[in-house]
Amino acid sequence: ASGPGHRLPDALRESSGLAWSPDQAGVLWSHNDSGHRSEIYAIDTEGALLARIPLAGARNRDWEDMATGRCEAGACIYLADTGDNGENRRRVWLYRVEEPFVLRAAEGQADTASAPAHSLAPVEADGSRIELPDGPRDIEAMFVLPGEAVYFVTKGRRHPVTVYRYPLPLQPETVTLEFVQTLSDRELPLYRQVTGADASPDGRTVVIRTYQSLAFYRVVDGMLVPVEGGDVSLWQVGEAQGEGVALGQDGTVALSSEAGSFGGTQSLNFLDCTDLITTQEGHSP
C-alpha cells in the first residue's frame, strides 16, 4: 500500500464502484449502492470530494460498479445497476454518461483537500436494459475494454463466477448478454465473492477484486487468462467492506471500501501493482 488509507467523505459511505478519470489527472469517480440518490461523485487521491453530479434518466436501484472509457463523446462513465442479492431481477441496467468536467481547486492552492465540492448540473444518462442468458445473477463487477466492449462478472453467490459480454452496439432495447467464460467451478464463500473489476485503459489487463484479494488477468481474444503470480492479498489494507477497484495504466490500483455494518470507516487505498500489468503485444479484446 502506498501510505495509509484515506477516509472517504460521508456522502460516499457506501462507495460500491470506483474508476479513474481518463482525462482529468488525479480524479477518481465513485458512487453509492442501493437506496441512494442517482449521483456520481468526483474525488481526488486523498479522498476529498470534488463534485457531485446527479444523473437524469437513471435510477439507482442497486448500482454495484462503474468504469470509464473512450466513446464518441470522448470519455464516458459506465454504471452497472446490476446488484441482485436475491437473484430475482429479470432485467438489470447499464447506464452511460459523458464524463463531466470537474472544476478543480485553483492551481497552486496549498490545501486542495479543503477546496469546496461543486454541485454540478444534472447529466443525462443513456440506459440499456439487460437480461442474462441463464437467468438472474447477482453482478457486482464490470469492466470496459476499448471500443465500448462492456463485460460483467457475477459475484459467485449461488453459482460459479461467470463473465458475460454486452453485444455491441449499446442500445435502449432489452439485450441478452453473451456468455464468455466461468472463473470458478462452483459458488464461493463470502470472502472470495467478487465485488468489483476494472480494465487498464489499453485493455490488456483486467483486475477482479473480492473482499480479500485481487486477481490479475491478461485479455487474449476477448477472454481472461490468469497472470502468473497475479493474486494479491488485501488483508493488509484493512478495509471494512472492500467493494471498488480502479486500475491505472501505470499499475496503480485504487481501492474503495464501504463503511460496513460493524462500525468501520469508508476508505480509499492505493496499491502499486506495476509488475502485474500486461505488456505483451498481440492481445485482441
Side-chain angles (χ1 to χ4, degrees), residues 25 27 39 43 72 94 97 129-130 134 136 139 146 156 159 162 197 202 210 229-230 237 245 251 255 257 269 282 285:
V27 173
E39 295 180 326
I43 58 176
E72 289 186 2
L94 167 67
V97 300
R129 294 190 301 271
I130 297 169
D134 41 9
I139 298 175
H159 306 86
T162 307
D202 65 8
T210 69
V237 178
V245 60
L255 303 165
S257 171
N269 286 275

PDB file of all heavy atoms in Angstrom, residues 25 27 39 43 72 94 97 129-130 134 136 139 146 156 159 162 197 202 210 229-230 237 245 251 255 257 269 282 285:
ATOM      1  N   ALA A  25      -6.337  14.345 -14.587  1.00  0.00           N
ATOM      2  CA  ALA A  25      -5.317  13.709 -13.759  1.00  0.00           C
ATOM      3  C   ALA A  25      -5.658  13.829 -12.277  1.00  0.00           C
ATOM      4  O   ALA A  25      -6.042  14.900 -11.793  1.00  0.00           O
ATOM      5  CB  ALA A  25      -3.959  14.345 -14.030  1.00  0.00           C
ATOM      6  N   VAL A  27      -8.086  12.502 -10.665  1.00  0.00           N
ATOM      7  CA  VAL A  27      -9.516  12.473 -10.357  1.00  0.00           C
ATOM      8  C   VAL A  27     -10.030  11.043 -10.457  1.00  0.00           C
ATOM      9  O   VAL A  27      -9.729  10.323 -11.419  1.00  0.00           O
ATOM     10  CB  VAL A  27     -10.316  13.391 -11.310  1.00  0.00           C
ATOM     11  CG1 VAL A  27     -11.820  13.224 -11.092  1.00  0.00           C
ATOM     12  CG2 VAL A  27      -9.918  14.838 -11.105  1.00  0.00           C
ATOM     13  N   GLU A  39     -26.558   9.651  -8.203  1.00  0.00           N
ATOM     14  CA  GLU A  39     -25.497  10.641  -8.307  1.00  0.00           C
ATOM     15  C   GLU A  39     -24.156   9.938  -8.450  1.00  0.00           C
ATOM     16  O   GLU A  39     -23.961   8.843  -7.930  1.00  0.00           O
ATOM     17  CB  GLU A  39     -25.442  11.531  -7.055  1.00  0.00           C
ATOM     18  CG  GLU A  39     -26.658  12.409  -6.842  1.00  0.00           C
ATOM     19  CD  GLU A  39     -26.529  13.255  -5.588  1.00  0.00           C
ATOM     20  OE1 GLU A  39     -25.934  12.781  -4.601  1.00  0.00           O
ATOM     21  OE2 GLU A  39     -27.030  14.395  -5.595  1.00  0.00           O
ATOM     22  N   ILE A  43     -13.751  12.522  -6.730  1.00  0.00           N
ATOM     23  CA  ILE A  43     -12.884  12.688  -5.570  1.00  0.00           C
ATOM     24  C   ILE A  43     -11.440  12.806  -6.035  1.00  0.00           C
ATOM     25  O   ILE A  43     -11.106  12.403  -7.157  1.00  0.00           O
ATOM     26  CB  ILE A  43     -13.024  11.514  -4.572  1.00  0.00           C
ATOM     27  CG1 ILE A  43     -12.706  10.183  -5.262  1.00  0.00           C
ATOM     28  CG2 ILE A  43     -14.402  11.491  -3.944  1.00  0.00           C
ATOM     29  CD1 ILE A  43     -12.719   8.979  -4.319  1.00  0.00           C
ATOM     30  N   GLU A  72     -17.774   7.971 -28.307  1.00  0.00           N
ATOM     31  CA  GLU A  72     -17.890   9.001 -29.341  1.00  0.00           C
ATOM     32  C   GLU A  72     -17.795  10.397 -28.754  1.00  0.00           C
ATOM     33  O   GLU A  72     -17.308  11.327 -29.406  1.00  0.00           O
ATOM     34  CB  GLU A  72     -19.219   8.837 -30.098  1.00  0.00           C
ATOM     35  CG  GLU A  72     -19.261   7.629 -31.002  1.00  0.00           C
ATOM     36  CD  GLU A  72     -20.530   7.580 -31.828  1.00  0.00           C
ATOM     37  OE1 GLU A  72     -21.340   8.523 -31.711  1.00  0.00           O
ATOM     38  OE2 GLU A  72     -20.697   6.619 -32.604  1.00  0.00           O
ATOM     39  N   LEU A  94     -27.596  -1.066 -17.641  1.00  0.00           N
ATOM     40  CA  LEU A  94     -26.313  -0.427 -17.867  1.00  0.00           C
ATOM     41  C   LEU A  94     -26.592   1.016 -18.242  1.00  0.00           C
ATOM     42  O   LEU A  94     -27.393   1.287 -19.139  1.00  0.00           O
ATOM     43  CB  LEU A  94     -25.553  -1.124 -19.002  1.00  0.00           C
ATOM     44  CG  LEU A  94     -24.328  -0.392 -19.565  1.00  0.00           C
ATOM     45  CD1 LEU A  94     -23.210  -0.325 -18.524  1.00  0.00           C
ATOM     46  CD2 LEU A  94     -23.830  -1.081 -20.838  1.00  0.00           C
ATOM     47  N   VAL A  97     -22.868   7.785 -19.345  1.00  0.00           N
ATOM     48  CA  VAL A  97     -22.942   9.244 -19.370  1.00  0.00           C
ATOM     49  C   VAL A  97     -21.619   9.791 -19.888  1.00  0.00           C
ATOM     50  O   VAL A  97     -20.562   9.185 -19.702  1.00  0.00           O
ATOM     51  CB  VAL A  97     -23.229   9.833 -17.968  1.00  0.00           C
ATOM     52  CG1 VAL A  97     -24.551   9.325 -17.439  1.00  0.00           C
ATOM     53  CG2 VAL A  97     -22.110   9.521 -16.990  1.00  0.00           C
ATOM     54  N   ARG A 129     -31.290  -1.815 -21.159  1.00  0.00           N
ATOM     55  CA  ARG A 129     -31.849  -2.917 -20.375  1.00  0.00           C
ATOM     56  C   ARG A 129     -31.128  -4.216 -20.721  1.00  0.00           C
ATOM     57  O   ARG A 129     -30.827  -4.476 -21.880  1.00  0.00           O
ATOM     58  CB  ARG A 129     -33.354  -3.074 -20.635  1.00  0.00           C
ATOM     59  CG  ARG A 129     -34.184  -1.904 -20.140  1.00  0.00           C
ATOM     60  CD  ARG A 129     -35.674  -2.228 -20.212  1.00  0.00           C
ATOM     61  NE  ARG A 129     -36.080  -2.540 -21.573  1.00  0.00           N
ATOM     62  CZ  ARG A 129     -36.500  -1.624 -22.462  1.00  0.00           C
ATOM     63  NH1 ARG A 129     -36.541  -0.348 -22.116  1.00  0.00           N
ATOM     64  NH2 ARG A 129     -36.865  -1.985 -23.676  1.00  0.00           N
ATOM     65  N   ILE A 130     -30.899  -5.024 -19.693  1.00  0.00           N
ATOM     66  CA  ILE A 130     -30.083  -6.233 -19.859  1.00  0.00           C
ATOM     67  C   ILE A 130     -30.802  -7.437 -19.262  1.00  0.00           C
ATOM     68  O   ILE A 130     -31.388  -7.358 -18.180  1.00  0.00           O
ATOM     69  CB  ILE A 130     -28.722  -6.062 -19.145  1.00  0.00           C
ATOM     70  CG1 ILE A 130     -27.912  -4.935 -19.768  1.00  0.00           C
ATOM     71  CG2 ILE A 130     -27.921  -7.367 -19.189  1.00  0.00           C
ATOM     72  CD1 ILE A 130     -26.711  -4.554 -18.938  1.00  0.00           C
ATOM     73  N   ASP A 134     -28.872 -17.176 -18.780  1.00  0.00           N
ATOM     74  CA  ASP A 134     -29.174 -18.313 -17.922  1.00  0.00           C
ATOM     75  C   ASP A 134     -29.874 -17.904 -16.634  1.00  0.00           C
ATOM     76  O   ASP A 134     -29.752 -18.553 -15.613  1.00  0.00           O
ATOM     77  CB  ASP A 134     -27.894 -19.090 -17.608  1.00  0.00           C
ATOM     78  CG  ASP A 134     -26.711 -18.180 -17.320  1.00  0.00           C
ATOM     79  OD1 ASP A 134     -26.929 -16.955 -17.202  1.00  0.00           O
ATOM     80  OD2 ASP A 134     -25.579 -18.671 -17.235  1.00  0.00           O
ATOM     81  N   PRO A 136     -31.424 -14.792 -13.716  1.00  0.00           N
ATOM     82  CA  PRO A 136     -30.858 -13.728 -12.879  1.00  0.00           C
ATOM     83  C   PRO A 136     -29.620 -14.176 -12.108  1.00  0.00           C
ATOM     84  O   PRO A 136     -29.536 -15.308 -11.626  1.00  0.00           O
ATOM     85  CB  PRO A 136     -32.012 -13.401 -11.920  1.00  0.00           C
ATOM     86  CG  PRO A 136     -33.242 -13.833 -12.638  1.00  0.00           C
ATOM     87  CD  PRO A 136     -32.833 -15.052 -13.410  1.00  0.00           C
ATOM     88  N   ILE A 139     -24.648  -9.441  -9.820  1.00  0.00           N
ATOM     89  CA  ILE A 139     -23.474  -8.941 -10.523  1.00  0.00           C
ATOM     90  C   ILE A 139     -22.981  -7.682  -9.818  1.00  0.00           C
ATOM     91  O   ILE A 139     -23.713  -6.691  -9.742  1.00  0.00           O
ATOM     92  CB  ILE A 139     -23.789  -8.621 -11.994  1.00  0.00           C
ATOM     93  CG1 ILE A 139     -24.213  -9.891 -12.736  1.00  0.00           C
ATOM     94  CG2 ILE A 139     -22.587  -7.978 -12.682  1.00  0.00           C
ATOM     95  CD1 ILE A 139     -24.654  -9.638 -14.171  1.00  0.00           C
ATOM     96  N   PRO A 146     -11.445  -1.301 -24.761  1.00  0.00           N
ATOM     97  CA  PRO A 146     -11.547  -0.334 -25.853  1.00  0.00           C
ATOM     98  C   PRO A 146     -12.601  -0.716 -26.876  1.00  0.00           C
ATOM     99  O   PRO A 146     -12.804  -1.902 -27.171  1.00  0.00           O
ATOM    100  CB  PRO A 146     -10.137  -0.362 -26.460  1.00  0.00           C
ATOM    101  CG  PRO A 146      -9.246  -0.708 -25.303  1.00  0.00           C
ATOM    102  CD  PRO A 146     -10.038  -1.701 -24.494  1.00  0.00           C
ATOM    103  N   GLY A 156     -20.666 -14.804  -7.692  1.00  0.00           N
ATOM    104  CA  GLY A 156     -20.369 -16.154  -7.219  1.00  0.00           C
ATOM    105  C   GLY A 156     -21.170 -16.505  -5.982  1.00  0.00           C
ATOM    106  O   GLY A 156     -20.774 -17.353  -5.198  1.00  0.00           O
ATOM    107  N   HIS A 159     -23.836 -19.394  -7.757  1.00  0.00           N
ATOM    108  CA  HIS A 159     -23.416 -20.059  -8.996  1.00  0.00           C
ATOM    109  C   HIS A 159     -21.930 -19.778  -9.201  1.00  0.00           C
ATOM    110  O   HIS A 159     -21.354 -18.906  -8.543  1.00  0.00           O
ATOM    111  CB  HIS A 159     -24.216 -19.538 -10.195  1.00  0.00           C
ATOM    112  CG  HIS A 159     -25.700 -19.623 -10.028  1.00  0.00           C
ATOM    113  ND1 HIS A 159     -26.433 -18.630  -9.413  1.00  0.00           N
ATOM    114  CD2 HIS A 159     -26.589 -20.585 -10.385  1.00  0.00           C
ATOM    115  CE1 HIS A 159     -27.711 -18.968  -9.401  1.00  0.00           C
ATOM    116  NE2 HIS A 159     -27.833 -20.140  -9.989  1.00  0.00           N
ATOM    117  N   THR A 162     -19.054 -16.013 -13.252  1.00  0.00           N
ATOM    118  CA  THR A 162     -19.240 -16.076 -14.698  1.00  0.00           C
ATOM    119  C   THR A 162     -19.030 -14.704 -15.323  1.00  0.00           C
ATOM    120  O   THR A 162     -19.429 -13.688 -14.761  1.00  0.00           O
ATOM    121  CB  THR A 162     -20.653 -16.584 -15.040  1.00  0.00           C
ATOM    122  OG1 THR A 162     -20.889 -17.825 -14.355  1.00  0.00           O
ATOM    123  CG2 THR A 162     -20.820 -16.799 -16.526  1.00  0.00           C
ATOM    124  N   ALA A 197     -14.410  -4.877 -10.497  1.00  0.00           N
ATOM    125  CA  ALA A 197     -13.440  -5.199 -11.548  1.00  0.00           C
ATOM    126  C   ALA A 197     -13.098  -3.925 -12.308  1.00  0.00           C
ATOM    127  O   ALA A 197     -13.820  -2.931 -12.241  1.00  0.00           O
ATOM    128  CB  ALA A 197     -13.993  -6.251 -12.505  1.00  0.00           C
ATOM    129  N   ASP A 202      -5.587   0.551 -21.843  1.00  0.00           N
ATOM    130  CA  ASP A 202      -5.269  -0.053 -23.139  1.00  0.00           C
ATOM    131  C   ASP A 202      -5.965  -1.394 -23.347  1.00  0.00           C
ATOM    132  O   ASP A 202      -5.843  -2.003 -24.413  1.00  0.00           O
ATOM    133  CB  ASP A 202      -3.764  -0.200 -23.321  1.00  0.00           C
ATOM    134  CG  ASP A 202      -3.126  -1.172 -22.325  1.00  0.00           C
ATOM    135  OD1 ASP A 202      -3.852  -1.859 -21.578  1.00  0.00           O
ATOM    136  OD2 ASP A 202      -1.875  -1.231 -22.288  1.00  0.00           O
ATOM    137  N   THR A 210     -12.105  -9.255  -4.791  1.00  0.00           N
ATOM    138  CA  THR A 210     -13.050  -9.832  -3.850  1.00  0.00           C
ATOM    139  C   THR A 210     -12.888  -9.057  -2.546  1.00  0.00           C
ATOM    140  O   THR A 210     -12.179  -8.054  -2.476  1.00  0.00           O
ATOM    141  CB  THR A 210     -12.758 -11.324  -3.619  1.00  0.00           C
ATOM    142  OG1 THR A 210     -11.515 -11.458  -2.899  1.00  0.00           O
ATOM    143  CG2 THR A 210     -12.645 -12.074  -4.941  1.00  0.00           C
ATOM    144  N   GLY A 229       1.303 -15.532 -10.941  1.00  0.00           N
ATOM    145  CA  GLY A 229       1.606 -14.775  -9.734  1.00  0.00           C
ATOM    146  C   GLY A 229       0.722 -13.558  -9.555  1.00  0.00           C
ATOM    147  O   GLY A 229       1.077 -12.630  -8.815  1.00  0.00           O
ATOM    148  N   GLY A 230      -0.442 -13.562 -10.202  1.00  0.00           N
ATOM    149  CA  GLY A 230      -1.297 -12.378 -10.229  1.00  0.00           C
ATOM    150  C   GLY A 230      -2.332 -12.284  -9.140  1.00  0.00           C
ATOM    151  O   GLY A 230      -3.306 -11.528  -9.278  1.00  0.00           O
ATOM    152  N   VAL A 237      -4.565  -4.295   3.798  1.00  0.00           N
ATOM    153  CA  VAL A 237      -5.170  -2.990   3.555  1.00  0.00           C
ATOM    154  C   VAL A 237      -6.122  -2.608   4.686  1.00  0.00           C
ATOM    155  O   VAL A 237      -6.262  -1.438   5.026  1.00  0.00           O
ATOM    156  CB  VAL A 237      -5.898  -2.986   2.198  1.00  0.00           C
ATOM    157  CG1 VAL A 237      -6.575  -1.642   1.944  1.00  0.00           C
ATOM    158  CG2 VAL A 237      -4.913  -3.293   1.075  1.00  0.00           C
ATOM    159  N   VAL A 245     -12.696  -1.042  -7.262  1.00  0.00           N
ATOM    160  CA  VAL A 245     -11.314  -1.165  -7.711  1.00  0.00           C
ATOM    161  C   VAL A 245     -11.163  -0.406  -9.017  1.00  0.00           C
ATOM    162  O   VAL A 245     -12.046  -0.441  -9.885  1.00  0.00           O
ATOM    163  CB  VAL A 245     -10.899  -2.647  -7.885  1.00  0.00           C
ATOM    164  CG1 VAL A 245     -11.767  -3.358  -8.909  1.00  0.00           C
ATOM    165  CG2 VAL A 245      -9.428  -2.766  -8.236  1.00  0.00           C
ATOM    166  N   GLY A 251      -0.158   0.990 -13.420  1.00  0.00           N
ATOM    167  CA  GLY A 251      -0.169  -0.090 -12.448  1.00  0.00           C
ATOM    168  C   GLY A 251      -0.669   0.309 -11.072  1.00  0.00           C
ATOM    169  O   GLY A 251      -0.697  -0.531 -10.167  1.00  0.00           O
ATOM    170  N   LEU A 255      -8.496   1.414  -4.433  1.00  0.00           N
ATOM    171  CA  LEU A 255      -9.488   0.547  -3.788  1.00  0.00           C
ATOM    172  C   LEU A 255     -10.419   1.400  -2.936  1.00  0.00           C
ATOM    173  O   LEU A 255      -9.965   2.271  -2.190  1.00  0.00           O
ATOM    174  CB  LEU A 255      -8.799  -0.476  -2.886  1.00  0.00           C
ATOM    175  CG  LEU A 255      -7.753  -1.383  -3.530  1.00  0.00           C
ATOM    176  CD1 LEU A 255      -6.923  -2.066  -2.451  1.00  0.00           C
ATOM    177  CD2 LEU A 255      -8.419  -2.423  -4.427  1.00  0.00           C
ATOM    178  N   SER A 257     -13.755   1.246  -0.116  1.00  0.00           N
ATOM    179  CA  SER A 257     -14.470   0.382   0.813  1.00  0.00           C
ATOM    180  C   SER A 257     -15.675   1.111   1.371  1.00  0.00           C
ATOM    181  O   SER A 257     -15.625   2.315   1.658  1.00  0.00           O
ATOM    182  CB  SER A 257     -13.558  -0.038   1.972  1.00  0.00           C
ATOM    183  OG  SER A 257     -14.300  -0.703   2.983  1.00  0.00           O
ATOM    184  N   ASN A 269      -7.791   3.475  -0.714  1.00  0.00           N
ATOM    185  CA  ASN A 269      -6.418   2.995  -0.580  1.00  0.00           C
ATOM    186  C   ASN A 269      -5.805   2.812  -1.955  1.00  0.00           C
ATOM    187  O   ASN A 269      -6.509   2.723  -2.972  1.00  0.00           O
ATOM    188  CB  ASN A 269      -6.384   1.653   0.168  1.00  0.00           C
ATOM    189  CG  ASN A 269      -6.629   1.809   1.649  1.00  0.00           C
ATOM    190  OD1 ASN A 269      -5.719   2.076   2.417  1.00  0.00           O
ATOM    191  ND2 ASN A 269      -7.887   1.633   2.070  1.00  0.00           N
ATOM    192  N   GLY A 282      -0.202  -8.365 -29.139  1.00  0.00           N
ATOM    193  CA  GLY A 282      -0.963  -9.459 -29.731  1.00  0.00           C
ATOM    194  C   GLY A 282      -2.257  -9.763 -29.040  1.00  0.00           C
ATOM    195  O   GLY A 282      -2.940 -10.704 -29.420  1.00  0.00           O
ATOM    196  N   PRO A 285      -8.900  -7.733 -27.756  1.00  0.00           N
ATOM    197  CA  PRO A 285     -10.128  -7.585 -26.986  1.00  0.00           C
ATOM    198  C   PRO A 285     -11.353  -7.840 -27.826  1.00  0.00           C
ATOM    199  O   PRO A 285     -11.348  -7.550 -29.029  1.00  0.00           O
ATOM    200  CB  PRO A 285     -10.088  -6.116 -26.514  1.00  0.00           C
ATOM    201  CG  PRO A 285      -8.650  -5.719 -26.628  1.00  0.00           C
ATOM    202  CD  PRO A 285      -8.090  -6.503 -27.746  1.00  0.00           C
TER     203      PRO A 285
END
